[in-house]
Amino acid sequence: EQAEVVGVTSDKKVAKVTLLNVADRPGIAAEVFEELADRNISIRLIIQSASSESRARITFILDEEFVDGALEALDRWKAEQLASDVLVDRDVAKISIVGSGLGSTPGLAARMFKALAREGINIDCISSSEMKVACVIASRHLERAVKVVHEEFFKAQPQPVAGVA
Amino acid sequence: EQAEVVGVTSDKKVAKVTLLNVADRPGIAAEVFEELADRNISIRLIIQSASSESRARITFILDEEFVDGALEALDRWKAEQLASDVLVDRDVAKISIVGSGLGSTPGLAARMFKALAREGINIDCISSSEMKVACVIASRHLERAVKVVHEEFFKAQPQPVAGVA
Ligand SMILES: C[C@@H](O)[C@H](N)C(=O)O
Ligand SMILES: C[C@@H](O)[C@H](N)C(=O)O
């Protein structure tokens, strides 16, 4: 499986919601995302790292246009203590490398992280799979981030990336 | 964009490593994954949800055959206090729904989570993108999980899935 990074994608018009200290038991994730689906809110990215002491943290990224439609649900989750706190951050952006076989080639994700680190850009969230490594960063860094990550994988020539979502 | 779930994939031969309380500053993720790449260790999934109080939690999933090769690095990260603790869990499995446009159709991820919840299966980690929603669960639940998630999306008739990789 020859891995290949075929493009760098980014999205500035997104926001991040984090649910702190949700109960780590079956049904919680279903309840949260069913409620968002009922409100017809699309979610771009869902991230939950491993929980501990039966508490979990769920982060999701959505288009900023949907945030206001979600606020009622967020308020209720806090009132009903589904989460100890619900944080909304509109000053975030998403940058991803896309390709094939990314998971089976050691070092591709590390190169992306290193390019961001050299620029002093902090990584707020990470979600990766075989075809994509996505980082959430502060939106003010996005232009610089796209430039350095693009240079890392494509060096001199900018790659035309037709049809990569 | 008509979303479509075209398959359910799973992997039982994986392990989960969690780095607790890493410093949330540029360069940490690069250091961790560069070290794993130097040891030629492929990483299947990287998950970091939003950090707080300048501490982050990084979870990664790797093939169980690579765990022993990573232990030396894990021990050193703990000794050098890159992480307050490093947890290894070999009793995990990964289950994913794959398709297109998953992120822009509200409810597909929720249906997967609900199918697992009905079976009393706890979701330990989540990582989703436009093309895939992956959950980490206890390996003992994997067969049941694949069955109920497959039934949720494909019901009685197995879907003809021509031409999908
Ligand atoms: C936290 C949440 O993912 C929970 N463990 C669930 O299964 O729904
Ligand atoms: C925790 C880690 O992701 C850190 N924020 C970094 O940028 O490397």
Side-chain angles (χ1 to χ4, degrees):
Chain A
E1 196 181 351
Q2 184 53 32
E4 195 192 357
V5 175
V6 296
V8 178
T9 64
S10 64
D11 194 347
K12 202 166 189 171
K13 293 191 188 319
V14 292
K16 176 184 72 169
V17 175
T18 304
L19 279 65
L20 298 179
N21 293 312
V22 297
D24 185 25
R25 58 178 160 69
I28 300 292
E31 188 178 334
V32 165
F33 292 100
E34 224 168 30
E35 166 108 31
L36 292 165
D38 288 348
R39 292 164 190 268
N40 221 12
I41 293 175
S42 302
I43 304 295
R44 292 297 173 202
L45 208 61
I46 303 170
I47 305 172
Q48 177 196 327
S49 38
S51 37
S52 57
E53 288 122 34
S54 62
R55 290 282 145 205
R57 175 172 300 191
I58 299 176
T59 301
F60 59 89
I61 305 291
L62 69 170
D63 293 349
E64 60 188 10
E65 68 193 89
F66 286 125
V67 175
D68 290 337
L71 290 178
E72 205 187 305
L74 305 184
D75 289 343
R76 227 194 41 256
W77 291 332
K78 209 170 146 184
E80 291 175 355
Q81 297 182 332
L82 183 131
S84 67
D85 204 355
V86 178
L87 311 173
V88 178
D89 184 350
R90 297 171 194 251
D91 294 327
V92 298
K94 186 160 73 88
I95 177 171
S96 308
I97 54 172
V98 290
S100 62
L102 301 185
S104 39
T105 302
L108 289 176
R111 281 173 56 195
M112 177 185 190
F113 302 154
K114 195 150 178 73
L116 295 172
R118 274 196 300 268
E119 276 294 307
I121 296 173
N122 192 49
I123 302 168
D124 193 21
C125 301
I126 304 170
S127 169
S128 82
S129 69
E130 289 292 318
M131 293 175 289
K132 190 173 195 171
V133 181
C135 291
V136 176
I137 61 172
S139 53
R140 65 182 181 284
H141 299 315
L142 188 63
E143 280 69 29
R144 255 183 333 126
V146 170
K147 182 169 174 300
V148 294
V149 171
H150 196 277
E151 277 167 12
E152 172 61 30
F153 290 101
F154 301 111
K155 295 291 181 266
Q157 81 296 355
Q159 207 102 328
V161 183
V164 178
Chain B
E1 195 179 355
Q2 184 55 30
E4 196 189 357
V5 175
V6 296
V8 178
T9 64
S10 65
D11 193 347
K12 203 166 188 171
K13 294 194 188 315
V14 292
K16 177 184 70 168
V17 174
T18 304
L19 279 65
L20 298 179
N21 294 312
V22 296
D24 184 24
R25 59 177 159 70
I28 299 293
E31 187 179 336
V32 165
F33 292 99
E34 221 168 31
E35 165 108 35
L36 292 166
D38 289 347
R39 293 164 188 271
N40 221 10
I41 294 175
S42 303
I43 304 296
R44 292 296 173 202
L45 210 61
I46 303 170
I47 306 173
Q48 178 196 326
S49 37
S51 37
S52 57
E53 288 120 34
S54 62
R55 290 282 145 204
R57 174 173 299 192
I58 299 176
T59 301
F60 59 89
I61 305 290
L62 70 170
D63 294 348
E64 57 188 13
E65 67 190 272
F66 286 125
V67 176
D68 291 336
L71 290 177
E72 205 188 306
L74 305 184
D75 290 342
R76 224 193 42 256
W77 291 333
K78 211 169 143 186
E80 291 175 353
Q81 297 182 336
L82 183 130
S84 68
D85 205 355
V86 179
L87 310 173
V88 179
D89 184 350
R90 297 173 194 247
D91 294 326
V92 298
K94 187 159 72 87
I95 177 170
S96 307
I97 55 172
V98 289
S100 63
L102 300 185
S104 40
T105 302
L108 290 176
R111 282 172 57 196
M112 178 185 189
F113 302 154
K114 195 150 178 74
L116 295 171
R118 274 197 300 267
E119 279 291 311
I121 295 172
N122 193 48
I123 302 169
D124 193 20
C125 303
I126 304 170
S127 169
S128 82
S129 69
E130 288 291 318
M131 293 175 286
K132 189 173 195 174
V133 180
C135 292
V136 177
I137 59 173
S139 52
R140 64 184 182 283
H141 298 315
L142 187 64
E143 280 71 29
R144 257 186 328 132
V146 170
K147 182 170 174 299
V148 295
V149 171
H150 196 274
E151 277 168 11
E152 172 63 28
F153 291 101
F154 299 109
K155 295 284 183 270
Q157 85 296 353
Q159 210 111 312
V161 181
V164 177

mmCIF file of all heavy atoms in Angstrom, chain A residues 26-55:
data_model
loop_
_atom_site.group_PDB
_atom_site.id
_atom_site.type_symbol
_atom_site.label_atom_id
_atom_site.label_comp_id
_atom_site.label_asym_id
_atom_site.label_seq_id
_atom_site.Cartn_x
_atom_site.Cartn_y
_atom_site.Cartn_z
ATOM 1 N N PRO A 26 -23.276 3.592 28.063
ATOM 2 C CA PRO A 26 -23.954 3.456 26.761
ATOM 3 C C PRO A 26 -25.136 4.409 26.647
ATOM 4 O O PRO A 26 -25.870 4.624 27.605
ATOM 5 C CB PRO A 26 -24.419 2.006 26.776
ATOM 6 C CG PRO A 26 -23.495 1.302 27.695
ATOM 7 C CD PRO A 26 -23.151 2.312 28.761
ATOM 8 N N GLY A 27 -25.279 5.003 25.465
ATOM 9 C CA GLY A 27 -26.446 5.832 25.184
ATOM 10 C C GLY A 27 -26.193 7.323 25.182
ATOM 11 O O GLY A 27 -26.957 8.087 24.589
ATOM 12 N N ILE A 28 -25.117 7.770 25.812
ATOM 13 C CA ILE A 28 -24.872 9.222 25.908
ATOM 14 C C ILE A 28 -24.543 9.822 24.545
ATOM 15 O O ILE A 28 -25.144 10.817 24.127
ATOM 16 C CB ILE A 28 -23.730 9.505 26.909
ATOM 17 C CG1 ILE A 28 -24.077 8.979 28.300
ATOM 18 C CG2 ILE A 28 -23.401 11.001 26.938
ATOM 19 C CD1 ILE A 28 -25.197 9.712 28.998
ATOM 20 N N ALA A 29 -23.633 9.206 23.827
ATOM 21 C CA ALA A 29 -23.266 9.728 22.500
ATOM 22 C C ALA A 29 -24.488 9.700 21.574
ATOM 23 O O ALA A 29 -24.732 10.639 20.815
ATOM 24 C CB ALA A 29 -22.112 8.909 21.920
ATOM 25 N N ALA A 30 -25.292 8.634 21.691
ATOM 26 C CA ALA A 30 -26.499 8.524 20.854
ATOM 27 C C ALA A 30 -27.443 9.686 21.159
ATOM 28 O O ALA A 30 -27.966 10.332 20.240
ATOM 29 C CB ALA A 30 -27.188 7.186 21.115
ATOM 30 N N GLU A 31 -27.624 9.986 22.439
ATOM 31 C CA GLU A 31 -28.539 11.064 22.838
ATOM 32 C C GLU A 31 -28.081 12.420 22.300
ATOM 33 O O GLU A 31 -28.862 13.190 21.728
ATOM 34 C CB GLU A 31 -28.605 11.092 24.367
ATOM 35 C CG GLU A 31 -29.663 12.022 24.931
ATOM 36 C CD GLU A 31 -29.713 11.984 26.461
ATOM 37 O OE1 GLU A 31 -29.318 10.956 27.049
ATOM 38 O OE2 GLU A 31 -30.144 12.984 27.049
ATOM 39 N N VAL A 32 -26.798 12.688 22.434
ATOM 40 C CA VAL A 32 -26.252 13.982 21.990
ATOM 41 C C VAL A 32 -26.422 14.153 20.485
ATOM 42 O O VAL A 32 -26.951 15.152 20.001
ATOM 43 C CB VAL A 32 -24.753 14.093 22.385
ATOM 44 C CG1 VAL A 32 -24.053 15.229 21.653
ATOM 45 C CG2 VAL A 32 -24.607 14.234 23.898
ATOM 46 N N PHE A 33 -26.015 13.133 19.722
ATOM 47 C CA PHE A 33 -26.015 13.325 18.268
ATOM 48 C C PHE A 33 -27.392 13.110 17.646
ATOM 49 O O PHE A 33 -27.677 13.636 16.554
ATOM 50 C CB PHE A 33 -24.897 12.500 17.635
ATOM 51 C CG PHE A 33 -23.549 13.046 18.030
ATOM 52 C CD1 PHE A 33 -22.814 12.457 19.046
ATOM 53 C CD2 PHE A 33 -23.054 14.200 17.437
ATOM 54 C CE1 PHE A 33 -21.590 13.004 19.457
ATOM 55 C CE2 PHE A 33 -21.849 14.756 17.843
ATOM 56 C CZ PHE A 33 -21.117 14.154 18.865
ATOM 57 N N GLU A 34 -28.276 12.403 18.356
ATOM 58 C CA GLU A 34 -29.649 12.292 17.881
ATOM 59 C C GLU A 34 -30.358 13.642 18.012
ATOM 60 O O GLU A 34 -31.074 14.080 17.121
ATOM 61 C CB GLU A 34 -30.376 11.258 18.748
ATOM 62 C CG GLU A 34 -31.225 10.310 17.967
ATOM 63 C CD GLU A 34 -31.679 9.145 18.813
ATOM 64 O OE1 GLU A 34 -31.849 9.300 20.040
ATOM 65 O OE2 GLU A 34 -31.856 8.079 18.243
ATOM 66 N N GLU A 35 -30.090 14.305 19.116
ATOM 67 C CA GLU A 35 -30.686 15.625 19.354
ATOM 68 C C GLU A 35 -30.223 16.615 18.282
ATOM 69 O O GLU A 35 -31.001 17.404 17.756
ATOM 70 C CB GLU A 35 -30.260 16.094 20.742
ATOM 71 C CG GLU A 35 -30.506 17.545 21.007
ATOM 72 C CD GLU A 35 -31.638 17.761 21.983
ATOM 73 O OE1 GLU A 35 -31.823 16.889 22.857
ATOM 74 O OE2 GLU A 35 -32.319 18.783 21.867
ATOM 75 N N LEU A 36 -28.943 16.556 17.931
ATOM 76 C CA LEU A 36 -28.428 17.473 16.895
ATOM 77 C C LEU A 36 -29.040 17.122 15.541
ATOM 78 O O LEU A 36 -29.376 17.999 14.742
ATOM 79 C CB LEU A 36 -26.901 17.403 16.857
ATOM 80 C CG LEU A 36 -26.198 17.973 18.102
ATOM 81 C CD1 LEU A 36 -24.735 17.530 18.138
ATOM 82 C CD2 LEU A 36 -26.289 19.493 18.140
ATOM 83 N N ALA A 37 -29.216 15.819 15.284
ATOM 84 C CA ALA A 37 -29.809 15.396 14.006
ATOM 85 C C ALA A 37 -31.266 15.850 13.931
ATOM 86 O O ALA A 37 -31.727 16.316 12.883
ATOM 87 C CB ALA A 37 -29.708 13.886 13.870
ATOM 88 N N ASP A 38 -31.975 15.761 15.065
ATOM 89 C CA ASP A 38 -33.388 16.215 15.083
ATOM 90 C C ASP A 38 -33.481 17.691 14.713
ATOM 91 O O ASP A 38 -34.481 18.134 14.160
ATOM 92 C CB ASP A 38 -33.997 16.013 16.476
ATOM 93 C CG ASP A 38 -34.229 14.534 16.771
ATOM 94 O OD1 ASP A 38 -34.136 13.724 15.816
ATOM 95 O OD2 ASP A 38 -34.466 14.185 17.952
ATOM 96 N N ARG A 39 -32.450 18.446 15.040
ATOM 97 C CA ARG A 39 -32.447 19.875 14.704
ATOM 98 C C ARG A 39 -31.812 20.111 13.337
ATOM 99 O O ARG A 39 -31.474 21.226 12.975
ATOM 100 C CB ARG A 39 -31.667 20.641 15.778
ATOM 101 C CG ARG A 39 -32.374 20.643 17.117
ATOM 102 C CD ARG A 39 -31.464 21.049 18.259
ATOM 103 N NE ARG A 39 -32.143 20.808 19.516
ATOM 104 C CZ ARG A 39 -32.875 21.719 20.136
ATOM 105 N NH1 ARG A 39 -32.992 22.924 19.610
ATOM 106 N NH2 ARG A 39 -33.487 21.443 21.264
ATOM 107 N N ASN A 40 -31.580 19.007 12.613
ATOM 108 C CA ASN A 40 -31.020 19.074 11.263
ATOM 109 C C ASN A 40 -29.644 19.749 11.221
ATOM 110 O O ASN A 40 -29.327 20.487 10.285
ATOM 111 C CB ASN A 40 -31.977 19.828 10.335
ATOM 112 C CG ASN A 40 -32.032 19.135 8.983
ATOM 113 O OD1 ASN A 40 -31.545 18.015 8.846
ATOM 114 N ND2 ASN A 40 -32.579 19.816 8.000
ATOM 115 N N ILE A 41 -28.848 19.494 12.241
ATOM 116 C CA ILE A 41 -27.519 20.094 12.324
ATOM 117 C C ILE A 41 -26.486 19.062 11.884
ATOM 118 O O ILE A 41 -26.344 18.005 12.498
ATOM 119 C CB ILE A 41 -27.252 20.575 13.763
ATOM 120 C CG1 ILE A 41 -28.201 21.738 14.079
ATOM 121 C CG2 ILE A 41 -25.797 20.974 13.948
ATOM 122 C CD1 ILE A 41 -28.125 22.240 15.497
ATOM 123 N N SER A 42 -25.756 19.376 10.817
ATOM 124 C CA SER A 42 -24.693 18.485 10.329
ATOM 125 C C SER A 42 -23.461 18.658 11.186
ATOM 126 O O SER A 42 -23.124 19.769 11.565
ATOM 127 C CB SER A 42 -24.277 18.855 8.903
ATOM 128 O OG SER A 42 -25.363 18.807 8.040
ATOM 129 N N ILE A 43 -22.791 17.556 11.461
ATOM 130 C CA ILE A 43 -21.560 17.591 12.260
ATOM 131 C C ILE A 43 -20.399 17.186 11.369
ATOM 132 O O ILE A 43 -20.440 16.133 10.734
ATOM 133 C CB ILE A 43 -21.673 16.636 13.469
ATOM 134 C CG1 ILE A 43 -22.897 16.978 14.313
ATOM 135 C CG2 ILE A 43 -20.394 16.654 14.302
ATOM 136 C CD1 ILE A 43 -22.842 18.332 14.984
ATOM 137 N N ARG A 44 -19.366 18.024 11.309
ATOM 138 C CA ARG A 44 -18.232 17.739 10.416
ATOM 139 C C ARG A 44 -17.275 16.715 11.014
ATOM 140 O O ARG A 44 -16.679 15.924 10.302
ATOM 141 C CB ARG A 44 -17.460 19.036 10.132
ATOM 142 C CG ARG A 44 -18.222 20.038 9.289
ATOM 143 C CD ARG A 44 -18.515 19.495 7.921
ATOM 144 N NE ARG A 44 -19.382 20.360 7.129
ATOM 145 C CZ ARG A 44 -20.103 19.938 6.114
ATOM 146 N NH1 ARG A 44 -20.059 18.665 5.763
ATOM 147 N NH2 ARG A 44 -20.882 20.758 5.442
ATOM 148 N N LEU A 45 -17.114 16.771 12.320
ATOM 149 C CA LEU A 45 -16.073 15.953 12.972
ATOM 150 C C LEU A 45 -16.537 15.660 14.392
ATOM 151 O O LEU A 45 -17.023 16.560 15.063
ATOM 152 C CB LEU A 45 -14.807 16.828 13.045
ATOM 153 C CG LEU A 45 -13.434 16.234 13.043
ATOM 154 C CD1 LEU A 45 -13.186 15.457 11.765
ATOM 155 C CD2 LEU A 45 -12.387 17.332 13.162
ATOM 156 N N ILE A 46 -16.426 14.411 14.822
ATOM 157 C CA ILE A 46 -16.726 14.054 16.206
ATOM 158 C C ILE A 46 -15.465 13.439 16.785
ATOM 159 O O ILE A 46 -14.852 12.572 16.152
ATOM 160 C CB ILE A 46 -17.858 13.001 16.297
ATOM 161 C CG1 ILE A 46 -19.133 13.498 15.611
ATOM 162 C CG2 ILE A 46 -18.127 12.632 17.768
ATOM 163 C CD1 ILE A 46 -20.199 12.420 15.468
ATOM 164 N N ILE A 47 -15.047 13.889 17.945
ATOM 165 C CA ILE A 47 -13.817 13.393 18.561
ATOM 166 C C ILE A 47 -14.081 13.112 20.034
ATOM 167 O O ILE A 47 -14.512 13.983 20.768
ATOM 168 C CB ILE A 47 -12.695 14.452 18.493
ATOM 169 C CG1 ILE A 47 -12.444 14.917 17.055
ATOM 170 C CG2 ILE A 47 -11.407 13.910 19.094
ATOM 171 C CD1 ILE A 47 -11.495 16.099 16.962
ATOM 172 N N GLN A 48 -13.838 11.860 20.438
ATOM 173 C CA GLN A 48 -13.870 11.541 21.856
ATOM 174 C C GLN A 48 -12.647 10.687 22.150
ATOM 175 O O GLN A 48 -12.545 9.577 21.651
ATOM 176 C CB GLN A 48 -15.139 10.766 22.208
ATOM 177 C CG GLN A 48 -15.183 10.357 23.680
ATOM 178 C CD GLN A 48 -16.215 9.280 23.952
ATOM 179 O OE1 GLN A 48 -17.258 9.233 23.309
ATOM 180 N NE2 GLN A 48 -15.913 8.407 24.905
ATOM 181 N N SER A 49 -11.686 11.224 22.904
ATOM 182 C CA SER A 49 -10.536 10.377 23.261
ATOM 183 C C SER A 49 -10.931 9.513 24.454
ATOM 184 O O SER A 49 -12.015 9.656 24.999
ATOM 185 C CB SER A 49 -9.277 11.184 23.517
ATOM 186 O OG SER A 49 -9.519 12.377 24.179
ATOM 187 N N ALA A 50 -10.048 8.626 24.834
ATOM 188 C CA ALA A 50 -10.378 7.638 25.853
ATOM 189 C C ALA A 50 -10.800 8.320 27.148
ATOM 190 O O ALA A 50 -10.256 9.336 27.525
ATOM 191 C CB ALA A 50 -9.174 6.739 26.111
ATOM 192 N N SER A 51 -11.819 7.756 27.792
ATOM 193 C CA SER A 51 -12.324 8.339 29.016
ATOM 194 C C SER A 51 -11.600 7.746 30.221
ATOM 195 O O SER A 51 -10.852 6.803 30.084
ATOM 196 C CB SER A 51 -13.814 8.057 29.120
ATOM 197 O OG SER A 51 -14.089 6.786 28.616
ATOM 198 N N SER A 52 -11.817 8.347 31.388
ATOM 199 C CA SER A 52 -11.264 7.744 32.601
ATOM 200 C C SER A 52 -12.151 8.118 33.773
ATOM 201 O O SER A 52 -12.890 9.086 33.718
ATOM 202 C CB SER A 52 -9.838 8.214 32.851
ATOM 203 O OG SER A 52 -9.785 9.607 32.944
ATOM 204 N N GLU A 53 -12.082 7.325 34.836
ATOM 205 C CA GLU A 53 -12.948 7.506 36.000
ATOM 206 C C GLU A 53 -14.394 7.741 35.565
ATOM 207 O O GLU A 53 -15.059 8.660 36.034
ATOM 208 C CB GLU A 53 -12.470 8.673 36.884
ATOM 209 C CG GLU A 53 -11.203 8.375 37.651
ATOM 210 C CD GLU A 53 -10.105 9.378 37.322
ATOM 211 O OE1 GLU A 53 -10.449 10.549 37.077
ATOM 212 O OE2 GLU A 53 -8.928 8.974 37.291
ATOM 213 N N SER A 54 -14.864 6.946 34.627
ATOM 214 C CA SER A 54 -16.224 6.954 34.082
ATOM 215 C C SER A 54 -16.713 8.331 33.647
ATOM 216 O O SER A 54 -17.904 8.608 33.637
ATOM 217 C CB SER A 54 -17.207 6.293 35.045
ATOM 218 O OG SER A 54 -17.253 6.988 36.256
ATOM 219 N N ARG A 55 -15.784 9.200 33.249
ATOM 220 C CA ARG A 55 -16.139 10.504 32.664
ATOM 221 C C ARG A 55 -15.491 10.603 31.291
ATOM 222 O O ARG A 55 -14.350 10.185 31.113
ATOM 223 C CB ARG A 55 -15.603 11.645 33.549
ATOM 224 C CG ARG A 55 -16.323 11.785 34.888
ATOM 225 C CD ARG A 55 -17.655 12.487 34.697
ATOM 226 N NE ARG A 55 -18.670 11.951 35.625
ATOM 227 C CZ ARG A 55 -19.974 11.999 35.394
ATOM 228 N NH1 ARG A 55 -20.409 12.522 34.275
ATOM 229 N NH2 ARG A 55 -20.812 11.510 36.254
#
